[in-house]
Every structure is written in structure tokens, then in C-alpha cells.
Amino acid sequence: IRREALMWLKQAESDLKKALNDLLTSDWDSAAFWSQQAAEKALKALLLERGLIYRGHELLEIADIIERELGISVGEIRDLLRDLTIHYTISRYPNAANAVPSELYTRDLAESLVNKARRVIEWVKQYLH
């Protein structure tokens, strides 16, 4: 695995750990944000492993690049990415969802997002070599 891709994968795993820690402290909005970040960085690790760079945060756009440029079907994780991608902004900015993020999230939603991020990371790992 390329060094840069490995660095991004390690950071994805670190972000997932942050999300897990936020579950323990009932910081649901923060758990949502770190879940999105974990998935994003894992996907970017896959791109970097194949020599591609993407600057942005839209997970479905990254998925499209993976399918188009790498020839890897993302059907298995597309719905996970669809659920995670909006939390890059909604989890942090009151004007993104017209609600205070710390009041918007619940334990169930945060746990669901953390689990989805974990599944994305595991999916990415099967394509890194």
C-alpha cells in the first residue's frame, strides 16, 4: 500500500475512534461529523492508492470517481455514503439544517452513522493492497 494511502487510512481509523468516543460522552453531533470524516478519508485512501486525488467532501461524488476511474462497484456501500455525506455540514452548522446540531442528533442516529462509517472503512480495506 502506498505510504500516502496508508496515512489517510490510519486517519480514517482515528476519526472512527473519535466518533466512538463521542458516543460514550453523548456528543451525538460530533459522532456524526467524525463518522462522515472517517468514511471520506477511507475513500480518499483508496483513490490515493490508485494515484488519484480528490479535494472535496461529497461522498457520492467520490464513489462515482471510484466506479468510473477505478472500475470498482460501490453498490455495496452507496446507501451508506448517501446517509453519511450530509453530516459534514449538518453536524456542525446551525444554518445547514435550520437547527442546533447538538439538539438535532440522537443516540440512535449517531450509533447508526458510526456503524455505517465502520462498514465503509472495512469495504475500502478489501481494495487496498
Side-chain angles (χ1 to χ4, degrees), residues 10-34:
K10 284 183 178 182
Q11 189 59 48
E13 291 173 332
S14 177
D15 288 353
L16 182 63
K17 183 178 176 184
K18 290 177 182 90
L20 289 164
N21 287 335
D22 287 334
L23 293 179
L24 298 175
T25 58
S26 302
D27 292 313
W28 316 129
D29 55 323
S30 184
F33 173 73
W34 289 116

Short mmCIF file of all heavy atoms in Angstrom, two decimals, residues 10-34:
data_model
loop_
_atom_site.label_atom_id
_atom_site.label_comp_id
_atom_site.label_asym_id
_atom_site.label_seq_id
_atom_site.Cartn_x
_atom_site.Cartn_y
_atom_site.Cartn_z
N LYS A 10 -5.10 5.37 8.10
CA LYS A 10 -4.86 5.50 9.55
C LYS A 10 -5.67 6.64 10.14
O LYS A 10 -6.23 6.53 11.23
CB LYS A 10 -3.37 5.69 9.85
CG LYS A 10 -2.56 4.43 9.72
CD LYS A 10 -1.11 4.68 10.10
CE LYS A 10 -0.31 3.41 10.04
NZ LYS A 10 1.08 3.62 10.45
N GLN A 11 -5.74 7.77 9.42
CA GLN A 11 -6.53 8.89 9.92
C GLN A 11 -8.02 8.56 9.91
O GLN A 11 -8.75 8.97 10.82
CB GLN A 11 -6.24 10.16 9.13
CG GLN A 11 -6.88 11.39 9.76
CD GLN A 11 -6.37 11.64 11.19
OE1 GLN A 11 -5.17 11.61 11.44
NE2 GLN A 11 -7.29 11.87 12.12
N ALA A 12 -8.47 7.83 8.92
CA ALA A 12 -9.87 7.39 8.89
C ALA A 12 -10.19 6.57 10.13
O ALA A 12 -11.22 6.76 10.78
CB ALA A 12 -10.14 6.58 7.62
N GLU A 13 -9.28 5.66 10.48
CA GLU A 13 -9.49 4.83 11.67
C GLU A 13 -9.44 5.66 12.94
O GLU A 13 -10.18 5.41 13.89
CB GLU A 13 -8.47 3.70 11.69
CG GLU A 13 -8.74 2.68 10.58
CD GLU A 13 -7.68 1.62 10.44
OE1 GLU A 13 -6.49 1.89 10.78
OE2 GLU A 13 -8.01 0.52 9.97
N SER A 14 -8.59 6.67 12.96
CA SER A 14 -8.53 7.58 14.11
C SER A 14 -9.82 8.39 14.23
O SER A 14 -10.33 8.59 15.33
CB SER A 14 -7.32 8.52 13.97
OG SER A 14 -7.29 9.44 15.03
N ASP A 15 -10.35 8.84 13.11
CA ASP A 15 -11.61 9.59 13.13
C ASP A 15 -12.75 8.70 13.61
O ASP A 15 -13.63 9.15 14.35
CB ASP A 15 -11.92 10.16 11.74
CG ASP A 15 -11.01 11.31 11.37
OD1 ASP A 15 -10.22 11.78 12.22
OD2 ASP A 15 -11.08 11.75 10.20
N LEU A 16 -12.74 7.43 13.21
CA LEU A 16 -13.76 6.49 13.69
C LEU A 16 -13.65 6.33 15.20
O LEU A 16 -14.67 6.29 15.91
CB LEU A 16 -13.63 5.14 12.99
CG LEU A 16 -14.68 4.10 13.38
CD1 LEU A 16 -16.08 4.57 13.01
CD2 LEU A 16 -14.35 2.77 12.73
N LYS A 17 -12.44 6.28 15.70
CA LYS A 17 -12.23 6.19 17.15
C LYS A 17 -12.80 7.43 17.86
O LYS A 17 -13.41 7.32 18.93
CB LYS A 17 -10.74 6.03 17.45
CG LYS A 17 -10.43 5.85 18.92
CD LYS A 17 -8.94 5.66 19.15
CE LYS A 17 -8.64 5.60 20.63
NZ LYS A 17 -7.20 5.51 20.89
N LYS A 18 -12.60 8.59 17.27
CA LYS A 18 -13.17 9.82 17.84
C LYS A 18 -14.69 9.71 17.90
O LYS A 18 -15.32 10.10 18.89
CB LYS A 18 -12.78 11.04 17.01
CG LYS A 18 -11.32 11.43 17.09
CD LYS A 18 -11.06 12.62 16.16
CE LYS A 18 -9.61 13.01 16.16
NZ LYS A 18 -8.82 12.33 15.14
N ALA A 19 -15.29 9.20 16.82
CA ALA A 19 -16.74 9.03 16.79
C ALA A 19 -17.20 8.07 17.88
O ALA A 19 -18.20 8.33 18.57
CB ALA A 19 -17.18 8.54 15.41
N LEU A 20 -16.48 7.00 18.06
CA LEU A 20 -16.82 6.03 19.12
C LEU A 20 -16.71 6.67 20.49
O LEU A 20 -17.57 6.46 21.36
CB LEU A 20 -15.92 4.80 19.02
CG LEU A 20 -16.19 3.89 17.83
CD1 LEU A 20 -15.03 2.93 17.60
CD2 LEU A 20 -17.50 3.12 18.03
N ASN A 21 -15.68 7.46 20.70
CA ASN A 21 -15.52 8.16 21.97
C ASN A 21 -16.67 9.15 22.20
O ASN A 21 -17.14 9.31 23.33
CB ASN A 21 -14.17 8.89 22.04
CG ASN A 21 -13.03 7.93 22.22
OD1 ASN A 21 -13.18 6.83 22.74
ND2 ASN A 21 -11.85 8.34 21.77
N ASP A 22 -17.10 9.81 21.14
CA ASP A 22 -18.22 10.75 21.26
C ASP A 22 -19.52 10.04 21.64
O ASP A 22 -20.37 10.62 22.32
CB ASP A 22 -18.41 11.53 19.96
CG ASP A 22 -17.33 12.58 19.75
OD1 ASP A 22 -16.75 13.05 20.76
OD2 ASP A 22 -17.07 12.92 18.59
N LEU A 23 -19.67 8.80 21.24
CA LEU A 23 -20.84 8.03 21.68
C LEU A 23 -20.82 7.86 23.20
O LEU A 23 -21.86 7.92 23.85
CB LEU A 23 -20.88 6.66 21.00
CG LEU A 23 -21.13 6.62 19.50
CD1 LEU A 23 -21.12 5.18 19.00
CD2 LEU A 23 -22.43 7.32 19.14
N LEU A 24 -19.64 7.66 23.75
CA LEU A 24 -19.51 7.47 25.20
C LEU A 24 -19.84 8.73 25.99
O LEU A 24 -20.26 8.66 27.14
CB LEU A 24 -18.09 7.00 25.54
CG LEU A 24 -17.65 5.67 24.96
CD1 LEU A 24 -16.19 5.40 25.28
CD2 LEU A 24 -18.55 4.55 25.47
N THR A 25 -19.64 9.89 25.37
CA THR A 25 -19.87 11.16 26.07
C THR A 25 -21.17 11.83 25.62
O THR A 25 -21.41 12.99 25.97
CB THR A 25 -18.69 12.13 25.84
OG1 THR A 25 -18.52 12.35 24.45
CG2 THR A 25 -17.41 11.57 26.45
N SER A 26 -21.98 11.11 24.86
CA SER A 26 -23.28 11.62 24.37
C SER A 26 -23.14 12.84 23.46
O SER A 26 -24.05 13.66 23.37
CB SER A 26 -24.22 11.94 25.53
OG SER A 26 -24.43 10.79 26.32
N ASP A 27 -22.02 12.96 22.79
CA ASP A 27 -21.81 14.04 21.83
C ASP A 27 -22.22 13.54 20.45
O ASP A 27 -21.40 13.26 19.58
CB ASP A 27 -20.34 14.50 21.84
CG ASP A 27 -19.97 15.19 23.13
OD1 ASP A 27 -20.74 16.07 23.56
OD2 ASP A 27 -18.92 14.85 23.71
N TRP A 28 -23.53 13.44 20.27
CA TRP A 28 -24.08 12.80 19.08
C TRP A 28 -23.72 13.54 17.80
O TRP A 28 -23.42 12.91 16.77
CB TRP A 28 -25.60 12.67 19.19
CG TRP A 28 -26.13 12.21 20.50
CD1 TRP A 28 -27.12 12.81 21.23
CD2 TRP A 28 -25.73 11.08 21.28
NE1 TRP A 28 -27.36 12.12 22.39
CE2 TRP A 28 -26.51 11.04 22.45
CE3 TRP A 28 -24.78 10.08 21.10
CZ2 TRP A 28 -26.39 10.07 23.43
CZ3 TRP A 28 -24.64 9.10 22.08
CH2 TRP A 28 -25.43 9.09 23.22
N ASP A 29 -23.76 14.87 17.82
CA ASP A 29 -23.43 15.63 16.62
C ASP A 29 -21.98 15.45 16.22
O ASP A 29 -21.64 15.31 15.05
CB ASP A 29 -23.78 17.12 16.80
CG ASP A 29 -23.14 17.75 18.02
OD1 ASP A 29 -23.03 17.08 19.07
OD2 ASP A 29 -22.77 18.93 17.94
N SER A 30 -21.12 15.42 17.21
CA SER A 30 -19.70 15.22 16.93
C SER A 30 -19.44 13.80 16.40
O SER A 30 -18.65 13.61 15.48
CB SER A 30 -18.89 15.47 18.21
OG SER A 30 -17.53 15.38 17.95
N ALA A 31 -20.14 12.83 16.94
CA ALA A 31 -20.02 11.45 16.44
C ALA A 31 -20.43 11.38 14.97
O ALA A 31 -19.80 10.69 14.18
CB ALA A 31 -20.86 10.50 17.29
N ALA A 32 -21.47 12.13 14.63
CA ALA A 32 -21.93 12.16 13.24
C ALA A 32 -20.85 12.76 12.33
O ALA A 32 -20.54 12.22 11.26
CB ALA A 32 -23.22 12.97 13.13
N PHE A 33 -20.27 13.87 12.76
CA PHE A 33 -19.23 14.52 11.96
C PHE A 33 -18.04 13.59 11.75
O PHE A 33 -17.57 13.41 10.62
CB PHE A 33 -18.77 15.82 12.61
CG PHE A 33 -17.59 16.43 11.92
CD1 PHE A 33 -17.72 17.03 10.68
CD2 PHE A 33 -16.33 16.38 12.49
CE1 PHE A 33 -16.63 17.58 10.02
CE2 PHE A 33 -15.22 16.93 11.84
CZ PHE A 33 -15.38 17.53 10.61
N TRP A 34 -17.54 13.00 12.84
CA TRP A 34 -16.36 12.15 12.71
C TRP A 34 -16.66 10.88 11.92
O TRP A 34 -15.77 10.33 11.26
CB TRP A 34 -15.77 11.83 14.08
CG TRP A 34 -15.13 13.03 14.69
CD1 TRP A 34 -15.49 13.67 15.83
CD2 TRP A 34 -14.02 13.77 14.15
NE1 TRP A 34 -14.67 14.77 16.03
CE2 TRP A 34 -13.77 14.85 15.03
CE3 TRP A 34 -13.22 13.63 13.01
CZ2 TRP A 34 -12.74 15.77 14.79
CZ3 TRP A 34 -12.21 14.54 12.79
CH2 TRP A 34 -11.98 15.60 13.67
#
